[in-house]
Amino acid sequence: MSRSGTILAALGRGAELVAQLGWALAIMALPVFVVVTGVLVSVIWNSRGRRAQGDRTRQVALDPAARQASVSEGRAERPILVLGAVIPALVVAAALAASVITLQRLPSGSQEGSTEPNRDTVVIDIVGSQWWWSVAYPQHGVVTANEVHLPVGQPVLLRLTSTDVIHSFWVPRLGGKTDALPDDTNLLTLHAEEPGRYPGVCAEFCGLNHARMRMVAVAHEPAGFAQWLSQQQGTAADPTKPQETEGRGLFLSAGCAACHTIRSGTGPLGSDSATARRRGPDLTHLASRERIVGGSLDNTREELRRWITDPAQLKEETIMPPATLPDEQLEALLSYLESLQ
Ligand code: CUA
């Protein structure tokens, strides 16, 4: 990951606190590392000399008089006690204190005491599934996937959950990792301070394609965010070309509609049940997204074609079946999907 995606380039309130804690822990750990490594190296170094004296040591162990003499070595236990128990206890206590203080200072959704925050807070429902993120704005009737758009300069409340296994939502520059659990809702408040694109990942191993479960957080100025919302609130564009109309028909007849929904002017195309929504991303504004397939591929016609015709090649064990369409129909379907701005 490039530095621009690391916690050290924090640009959100939560992430800044996490980065400060990271530095504090690193500074505490450095002397411990130096001392332990130093002792280790010196022990290894000295043991080469001692090996020559091995016979004498064995003598001491067998001879009671010699053992008596070695009692004075008991004094050597004091540094071991200090280095091995007292100092580690102090360092760990300091690390614990720093962590607890940071935890309390983090902007937390739970500060509001419930999953229903005050009316002005933008709420985003994020659902992790193997291996993509559903992103919904319940106050605005917007649903997208693998992209979290948010306004800068104000806290945004994320409600995280999962349909299958434990995932972890992590946009390193904006905030700490938060688990998305199958049976519970975790809250995370993000507070972006500058507009920009912030790469995010799933940070909990969740199966074969864990590494391909990516997303991006896009922070807008408030006006830009409102514009994005109103664009996403709109229903899908109607086909303007015969090829696109044919593609829309294929979307409904070729199987896509079993798991995907397109909100059209005449109502939802495809299955709009909650179960279906959880199987595959809402495609209403598919063409407006930067990336597809759990954020792992650029949203180009070529990549979309590769994905639709052989999903398992790009993502083993995906539940998406391959589309077996003649070339001409495949191109029609692609044209329709590409028209969904
Ligand atoms: Cu989802 Cu790792």
Side-chain angles (χ1 to χ4, degrees), residues 152-191:
V152 294
Q154 53 177 284
V156 172
L157 179 67
L158 274 56
R159 300 190 293 208
L160 299 158
T161 181
S162 157
T163 59
D164 36 45
V165 298
I166 300 174
H167 303 275
S168 176
F169 180 92
W170 191 32
V171 181
R173 295 185 73 190
L174 294 184
K177 299 170 193 176
T178 305
D179 279 358
L181 307 170
D183 301 319
D184 207 351
T185 300
N186 274 343
L187 304 179
L188 170 68
T189 299
L190 291 185
H191 194 140

Side-chain angles (χ1 to χ4, degrees), residues 129 131 133 165-168 202-207 209-211 213:
S129 296
W131 289 273
W133 302 94
V165 298
I166 300 174
H167 303 275
S168 176
C202 175
E204 179 78 36
F205 181 73
C206 56
N209 291 289
H210 158 70
M213 190 167 167

Side-chain angles (χ1 to χ4, degrees), residues 233-248:
Q233 275 168 335
T235 50
D238 282 327
T240 53
K241 298 175 193 147
Q243 201 193 23
E244 292 168 8
T245 311
E246 186 193 349
R248 183 168 68 176

Side-chain angles (χ1 to χ4, degrees), residues 60 64-77:
V60 168
R67 199 182 299 154
Q68 188 63 35
S70 76
V71 167
S72 64
E73 284 173 18
R75 276 187 220 122
E77 284 172 8

